[in-house]
Amino acid sequence: MNDASTHHGKQDEAVTDSNGSTTADAAPEETTQPQTDADGGGGQAAAPKPGGGDGGRGGDRRAAVLAAVALLIALIVAGLGGMGGWWVWERFQALERASDDYAERMEVAEVRERLDSLEGNLTGRVDNLAEEHSSHVRSLARAEETMRTVREQHDSAQERMDRIEELAAAHRDEWILSEAGYLYGVARYRARFHGDVSGALDALREADSLLEELGGATVDQRQAVADAINALLDVRLPDREAMAADLRALINGVDEWSLKRVERQVEPADVPRQRDAELDSLDGWRNAGLRAWEQFRDAIGSLVVVRRDDAPPRLMAPEESHYLRENLRLQLLSARAALLQGDADAYRDSLEDVGEWLDRHFDDDDDAVREARETVSRLRDADVEADMPDLGEKLPERRLPGRNNMMEGGE
């Protein structure tokens, strides 16, 4: 570009020189024309000189030079414009390549960062899995140890059971007699402490079935068991269900019983007659007035005398009568529970309280109260416990397997 500008400067100088010389050549012609006009005395103008054609050719040449210069300048400008566009296009392409490279680097960096994160998570997960695996391995080891211990204990228990079965087979008769003796004790306990005839009979019948397995060797014992069973069958049991039903009827009828009414007896009091007062003097009038006042006061104080029967019940408020009836229900319920359990003392104590409250607080003229009092008296005198036989005198003594024999068998 520097060479082209230098060349363009030289051409401009050449054109300038040419124009200057052309202008200098034409100047004498312009100065000589006035002289011709002077010589001719104002006649016609002189004919043009043959040299006038050179001037036209010079103008064409100058126009051609200018056109060439303009074309050259246009070419230079076009070349510069092309070079500038090419440079701009190159820069644009470079920027696009740089942008693409930057985007690729950013994507690579993002992918690398994501891969690093995934790698960290994967590493942590692998560590957790390794820890869990180690924990499972330890748990499995402990479970195997426990199973080994349980298996050893099971084998030991199985050995003991086998040994017990061997001993039981060796001392079968003694074990049967021992079990029968235990059933004797159950029968005695149920009959003596609970009055449970049914339970005692079940125990004795089970003992008899065990003795039957031993055959004729236990004839005497089976006879004793049969005597005990017959004695229990002869026991007459109180009808507790009927007695419990009577108590239930009393509980339901408590609200129908009428309470006693308090009666008060009013008797007039005797007022003693006083002697006539002496009214002859002032002192007599004064003494008479004092005696009259004392008599009036005494008469007012003893005018009414209230007498009560022996320890009558006081008049109850409605809420007090409600509590009385509720206490009666509780006592009757206690008596019923004691009856079903066979507790004769608690049964009779509860009915004694009920009878006392009926006599003290309820009206004797009420038919429902009289019927309830009769029922309570009848239930109180009834037998709650049956007359149980003494099974200890009838049953044989309890026998246990010989310990020495079992020890010898174990050895």
Side-chain angles (χ1 to χ4, degrees), residues 36-337:
T36 305
D37 293 337
D39 291 336
Q44 296 180 349
K49 293 182 178 182
D54 295 334
R57 287 194 297 271
D60 294 336
R61 189 169 48 254
R62 187 168 54 251
V65 171
L66 291 175
V69 171
L71 178 60
L72 181 60
I73 292 172
L75 292 175
I76 292 173
V77 170
L80 292 175
M83 293 177 63
W86 176 81
W87 181 80
V88 170
W89 183 79
E90 286 291 333
R91 294 298 299 168
F92 180 75
Q93 292 295 324
L95 288 175
E96 285 186 351
R97 289 192 297 273
S99 177
D100 295 338
D101 294 340
Y102 179 75
E104 291 178 358
R105 286 195 299 272
M106 290 298 295
E107 291 178 358
V108 171
E110 184 178 357
V111 171
R112 184 179 293 109
E113 182 178 358
R114 189 177 302 169
L115 289 175
D116 294 339
S117 176
L118 293 176
E119 182 180 2
N121 294 334
L122 183 59
T123 302
R125 183 59 180 169
V126 170
D127 295 338
N128 293 334
L129 291 176
E131 183 67 24
E132 291 178 0
H133 176 69
S134 301
S135 177
H136 292 331
V137 170
R138 291 191 296 268
S139 300
L140 182 60
R142 289 193 298 268
E144 291 178 352
E145 183 66 23
T146 303
M147 288 296 296
R148 189 181 304 108
T149 304
V150 170
R151 191 179 296 108
E152 293 176 356
Q153 294 176 354
H154 177 268
D155 295 340
S156 176
Q158 186 64 37
E159 292 177 359
R160 293 178 182 177
M161 289 297 298
D162 295 340
R163 186 58 181 165
I164 290 174
E165 290 179 358
E166 293 177 359
L167 293 176
H171 304 282
R172 175 177 174 272
D173 295 347
E174 293 183 0
W175 280 107
I176 291 177
L177 292 175
S178 176
E179 189 173 355
Y182 172 76
L183 292 174
Y184 300 159
V186 171
R188 285 194 297 267
Y189 178 80
R190 299 301 302 177
R192 180 178 180 182
F193 296 102
H194 295 278
D196 185 7
V197 176
S198 177
L201 286 174
D202 291 340
L204 291 179
R205 286 166 180 163
E206 183 66 23
D208 183 67
S209 63
L210 290 175
L211 295 175
E212 187 179 3
E213 297 180 4
L214 299 179
T218 59
V219 173
D220 295 337
Q221 295 185 19
R222 292 190 65 190
Q223 183 61 44
V225 171
D227 294 340
I229 290 175
N230 292 329
L232 290 175
L233 292 176
D234 293 337
V235 174
R236 299 184 62 181
L237 298 176
D239 191 359
R240 294 183 179 180
E241 294 183 358
M243 297 169 67
D246 293 339
L247 289 173
R248 171 58 64 183
L250 290 174
I251 294 171
N252 295 331
V254 169
D255 292 332
E256 300 176 359
W257 302 342
S258 300
L259 295 172
K260 282 185 176 181
R261 291 185 296 272
V262 178
E263 296 181 357
R264 297 183 179 181
Q265 298 178 356
V266 180
E267 297 180 356
D270 295 334
V271 180
R273 180 179 179 81
Q274 301 293 331
R275 64 186 181 84
D276 295 336
E278 298 178 357
L279 303 177
D280 295 338
S281 62
L282 181 61
D283 293 335
W285 282 100
R286 185 183 296 112
N287 292 331
L290 291 176
R291 284 197 302 273
W293 170 250
E294 290 177 356
Q295 291 175 4
F296 176 76
R297 187 179 60 186
D298 294 339
I300 292 299
S302 61
L303 182 61
V304 179
V305 177
V306 179
R307 294 182 180 177
R308 299 178 182 272
D309 294 336
D310 294 337
R314 65 183 181 84
L315 187 62
M316 291 185 179
E319 59 272 11
E320 293 178 344
S321 63
H322 171 72
Y323 292 141
L324 173 62
R325 296 180 190 276
E326 290 301 321
N327 288 330
L328 274 174
R329 286 193 181 90
L330 289 177
Q331 288 295 336
L332 291 171
L333 286 172
S334 299
R336 187 172 183 272

